[in-house]
Amino acid sequence: MFDGLKDKLDSFRSDVEESADAEADVEAEAEVEAEADVEADTDVEADTDAESSTESASSDADEDGPGRLQRAKAFATGKVVLEEEDLEDPLWNLEMALLESDVEMGVAEAILDDLRSNLIGETKSQMASTGDLVADALRDALLDVISVGQFDFEERIAEAEKPVTIVFTGVNGVGKTTTIAKMARYLEDRGYSSVLANGDTYRAGANEQIREHAEALGKRLIAHEQGGDPAAVIYDGVEYAEANDVDVVLGDTAGRLHTSSDLMAQLEKIDRVVDPDLTIFVDEAVAGQDAVERAKQFDDAAEIDGAVLTKADADSQGGAAISVAYVTGKPVLFLGTGQGYDDLDRFDPEELVADLVG
Ligand SMILES: Nc1nc2c(ncn2[C@@H]2O[C@H](COP(=O)(O)OP(=O)(O)O)[C@@H](O)[C@H]2O)c(=O)[nH]1
Ligand SMILES: [Mg+2]
């Protein structure tokens, strides 16, 4: 998962390290030269011109000893090692790498700004190498954008009045129905009963598909005829849950109608009629910026509370996982990591960042 992105972040670290170390070498040599200048000046007791002093200095600095000593001294005193020019090239490379990984432009800029303000003027002590400093700054910068809006999903379910109604939105084929099935299993593992309600009354075969999942999981399915009113189906699901003490209603929706404005209007209606406790947007992690764009659109039609990114198992870029929360202001709550019912992982920003920046 996100291996390509991991490599790119790693390159940034070694980029800065290289650039800062090269700078430190130059500075250490300059200092040795400056000291040699002073010695040369006192030796001849005259104001020697720059050229001759450089000459006499370079012969001194050629010996390895003093240069190493200077560097060791700078290292021990914690002098400033990261300057704007050290970061220019690495930051540029990082920005390109993030965009290549399908991170949204504004998100990439936020990460860069964060890094700039955290790293420039940063001092290096004996304890921390440049690489460690950069890794810390990267972790902070990523966490800031990834953790936007996070809340504890389990706690939300626990505290909500039952039945809790959750409606899943998103385009066709991204894994909505599969995610609902996984969610039924996830809830069961935590002691909550659930009923499935098929609001995808548009697609032929939708009832059969979700019924297979319901049967495999031992869950009740509420479904109407194809072409029926999706809001009515989910509403029936809520009534069933109320009458039968079921904790959670999981409402599926269509991912495609005749036109996309029909779809948005239908989602708005479900939102109005059912008034779900949570609306969760589902898209594929692999869709990158398209997923981010769609998250915004769906949020406009029927306000979302969070997102699930599916097929993270097949995503090496991580752009959507990094961008969705920052762009929509709504958190990524789960990652789909496979086709099995247990392949739903709670999205933990700290864990992800630790994984990305080793
Ligand atoms: N690899 C992988 N495949 C998934 C994941 N989630 C869903 N799928 C597959 O994506 C396809 C479409 O899923 P479906 O639930 O029918 O999408 P829907 O049209 O949005 O309801 C199915 O073949 C699923 O098995 C996931 O997290 N990882
Ligand atoms: Mg479906």
Side-chain angles (χ1 to χ4, degrees), residues 170-173 176 200 202 253-257 263 266 298:
V171 297
N172 242 3
K176 274 188 311 299
D200 182 358
Y202 181 75
T253 60
R256 191 171 68 84
L257 288 189
L263 176 60
Q266 183 171 89
F298 277 77

Side-chain angles (χ1 to χ4, degrees), residues 142-183:
L142 288 169
L143 197 60
D144 276 355
V145 297
I146 295 175
S147 60
V148 170
Q150 275 292 326
F151 63 85
D152 188 329
F153 179 82
E154 261 187 82
E155 201 177 284
R156 186 71 72 88
I157 299 293
E159 286 169 359
E161 206 182 303
K162 309 293 180 300
V164 185
T165 306
I166 310 178
V167 167
F168 294 77
T169 63
V171 297
N172 242 3
V174 293
K176 274 188 311 299
T177 305
T178 310
T179 299
I180 286 170
K182 291 175 180 177
M183 184 59 77

Side-chain angles (χ1 to χ4, degrees), residues 4-221:
L5 180 62
K6 243 181 267 184
D7 291 345
K8 284 167 182 164
L9 294 172
D10 213 43
S11 305
F12 173 67
R13 194 172 3 178
S14 43
D15 255 19
V16 178
E17 225 164 3
E18 251 170 51
S19 149
D21 288 352
E23 179 68 18
D25 281 356
V26 170
E27 270 170 28
E29 258 160 46
E31 255 170 59
V32 172
E33 283 184 14
E35 245 168 51
D37 278 359
V38 174
E39 275 163 30
D41 283 355
T42 38
D43 279 352
V44 296
E45 281 179 310
D47 44 350
T48 38
D49 65 22
E51 220 180 301
S52 70
S53 67
T54 311
E55 271 167 24
S56 61
S58 55
S59 62
D60 272 354
D62 278 347
E63 296 159 35
D64 204 30
R68 262 214 317 256
L69 237 160
Q70 285 299 327
R71 250 171 291 161
K73 212 166 80 185
F75 202 65
T77 53
K79 77 201 242 353
V80 174
V81 289
L82 291 174
E83 289 162 20
E84 191 144 16
E85 54 268 33
D86 299 333
L87 288 173
E88 231 168 76
D89 288 346
L91 282 174
W92 167 260
N93 292 338
L94 178 66
E95 183 167 19
M96 292 305 112
L98 289 173
L99 296 179
E100 263 173 41
S101 294
D102 233 8
V103 171
E104 200 263 349
M105 177 88 81
V107 177
E109 274 163 15
I111 293 173
L112 257 57
D113 283 349
D114 211 323
L115 284 171
R116 234 179 243 117
S117 68
N118 276 331
L119 281 174
I120 293 174
E122 190 52 89
T123 58
K124 175 164 76 172
S125 71
Q126 255 169 327
M127 302 308 293
S129 69
T130 308
D132 290 341
L133 287 176
V134 175
D136 284 348
L138 255 182
R139 268 187 223 107
D140 285 351
L142 288 169
L143 197 60
D144 276 355
V145 297
I146 295 175
S147 60
V148 170
Q150 275 292 326
F151 63 85
D152 188 329
F153 179 82
E154 261 187 82
E155 201 177 284
R156 186 71 72 88
I157 299 293
E159 286 169 359
E161 206 182 303
K162 309 293 180 300
V164 185
T165 306
I166 310 178
V167 167
F168 294 77
T169 63
V171 297
N172 242 3
V174 293
K176 274 188 311 299
T177 305
T178 310
T179 299
I180 286 170
K182 291 175 180 177
M183 184 59 77
R185 167 66 62 81
Y186 178 94
L187 291 168
E188 182 177 295
D189 288 347
R190 283 153 186 80
Y192 299 105
S193 54
S194 62
V195 56
L196 279 46
N198 185 26
D200 182 358
T201 56
Y202 181 75
R203 195 171 64 81
N207 278 341
E208 288 68 27
Q209 188 199 356
I210 195 168
R211 178 162 291 119
E212 260 179 45
H213 287 307
E215 280 170 7
L217 291 159
K219 301 294 164 200
R220 177 67 187 255
L221 172 72

